[in-house]
Amino acid sequence: MRKLKPSFQSLINENKHKIQHDKKLMDQIEERIDYRHEHAIKQEKTKNTE
């Protein structure tokens, strides 16, 4: 691969960092959704048993 200009390389690095950050945020959101979904299922089960 040929060498990129430093300005392009810094943009690429910045974008990689943003993508990694976004992936972390998406993972956190998915975990919250999963937790809320499980919590809702538990509440639904307790409603049905009452």
Side-chain angles (χ1 to χ4, degrees), residues 1-2 4 6 8-10 22 25 30 32 37-40 47:
M1 207 167 120
R2 63 180 212 193
L4 297 173
F8 286 127
Q9 191 61 52
S10 66
D22 288 349
L25 289 176
E30 284 180 18
R32 289 181 191 159
H37 184 71
E38 289 173 13
H39 189 69
K47 274 186 184 176

Side-chain angles (χ1 to χ4, degrees), residues 2-42:
R2 63 180 212 193
K3 196 96 166 131
L4 297 173
K5 289 184 180 177
S7 58
F8 286 127
Q9 191 61 52
S10 66
L11 280 176
I12 289 170
N13 291 340
E14 189 177 316
N15 284 339
K16 280 182 183 178
H17 178 72
K18 286 180 182 177
I19 289 170
Q20 288 173 344
H21 182 70
D22 288 349
K23 283 182 180 178
K24 285 180 187 174
L25 289 176
M26 289 296 290
D27 287 344
Q28 289 175 353
I29 291 169
E30 284 180 18
E31 285 176 15
R32 289 181 191 159
I33 290 171
D34 289 345
Y35 173 79
R36 289 180 182 171
H37 184 71
E38 289 173 13
H39 189 69
I41 290 172
K42 286 178 186 174

